[in-house]
Amino acid sequence: MAAMFTCCLGCCGDGGSGHIPLKEMPTVQLDTHHMGTDVVIVKSGRRICGTGGCLANAPLHQNKSYFEFKIQSTGVWGIGVATQKVNLNQVPMGRDTNSLVLRHDGSVYHNNEEKNRLPANSLPQEGDIVGITYDHVELNLYLNGKNMHCPASGIRGTVYPVVYVDDSAILDCQFSDFYHTAPQGFEKILFEQQIF
């Protein structure tokens, strides 16, 4: 009996502690494998500068996603969602079916068509936080926590958060620990294994 008990303890592989190490969940951040050639990503995958675009490393699988961008330095920029087919060297985005983005001038573009526009007195400035909700049909925008009532739709397929910069713009991405509370029913981006 004692021999069987010892065998069971010894067979656990770690000296018998009985604990199975859990894999650390990956962090949602900008993906250096999916960025333009003149893009620079710093601050642990949270800040973009240079020229071009970058996708986040997690697709929006869940029903209702929320994420934010802080404008650290103004210039030419855009934020939204895109498929992996988007041209990350082309600025501005929104010229084809592979991206749906808010541009720095307040216009929301998809397939080279203006889908909506922020109110003229609500253009994001340096230091502002732009929040984005996406529910697989509609993208909505929030400025410093306030709903801009500026919905846009049209993109199809698996999409990722996307950001592009040019002309000295610097943006920080916030995929968790938000500056503003996510709108009701929306939550941070989850990796597929976290959903189930």
Side-chain angles (χ1 to χ4, degrees):
M1 177 83 149
M4 185 170 70
F5 184 69
T6 304
C7 178
C8 285
L9 287 176
C11 293
C12 290
D14 63 353
S17 71
H19 295 290
I20 299 171
L22 296 175
K23 288 183 180 177
E24 190 173 313
M25 293 309 272
T27 303
V28 179
Q29 61 190 31
L30 295 175
D31 187 351
T32 56
H33 299 292
H34 291 97
M35 67 181 201
T37 54
D38 294 325
V39 168
V40 178
I41 304 296
V42 294
K43 293 197 139 220
S44 301
R46 290 190 44 234
R47 177 170 286 177
I48 183 171
C49 49
T51 298
C54 188
L55 296 175
N57 63 345
L60 303 180
H61 283 303
Q62 77 232 45
N63 290 334
K64 295 184 173 189
S65 304
Y66 177 75
F67 48 99
E68 296 174 333
F69 294 91
K70 182 173 184 178
I71 301 159
Q72 295 290 357
S73 181
T74 57
V76 173
W77 55 266
I79 54 178
V81 294
T83 69
Q84 284 191 323
K85 293 179 181 179
V86 69
N87 181 348
L88 295 168
N89 290 306
Q90 183 180 53
V91 173
M93 289 183 187
R95 295 181 186 178
D96 57 25
T97 60
N98 296 313
S99 59
L100 172 62
V101 295
L102 167 68
R103 294 177 176 175
H104 69 282
D105 65 0
S107 61
V108 182
Y109 265 81
H110 171 67
N111 201 19
N112 214 29
E113 178 184 336
E114 186 173 314
K115 295 293 192 171
N116 212 329
R117 180 172 281 280
L118 291 176
N121 62 346
S122 297
L123 295 181
Q125 304 296 317
E126 194 168 295
D128 283 344
I129 310 296
V130 181
I132 294 179
T133 59
Y134 184 71
D135 65 5
H136 293 280
V137 175
E138 200 170 74
L139 179 138
N140 277 287
L141 302 163
Y142 296 76
L143 182 61
N144 298 319
K146 181 182 174 194
N147 188 341
M148 292 288 96
H149 302 286
C150 187
S153 60
I155 195 164
R156 301 280 184 255
T158 301
V159 298
Y160 297 73
V162 69
V163 55
Y164 70 80
V165 292
D166 195 9
D167 197 28
S168 301
I170 301 172
L171 273 70
D172 284 356
C173 308
Q174 204 66 30
F175 297 114
S176 62
D177 302 321
F178 301 120
Y179 292 99
H180 299 281
T181 304
Q184 188 170 355
F186 289 86
E187 60 184 338
K188 69 180 183 176
I189 300 165
L190 301 173
F191 279 92
E192 196 168 15
Q193 64 263 34
Q194 292 175 301
I195 295 172
F196 301 110

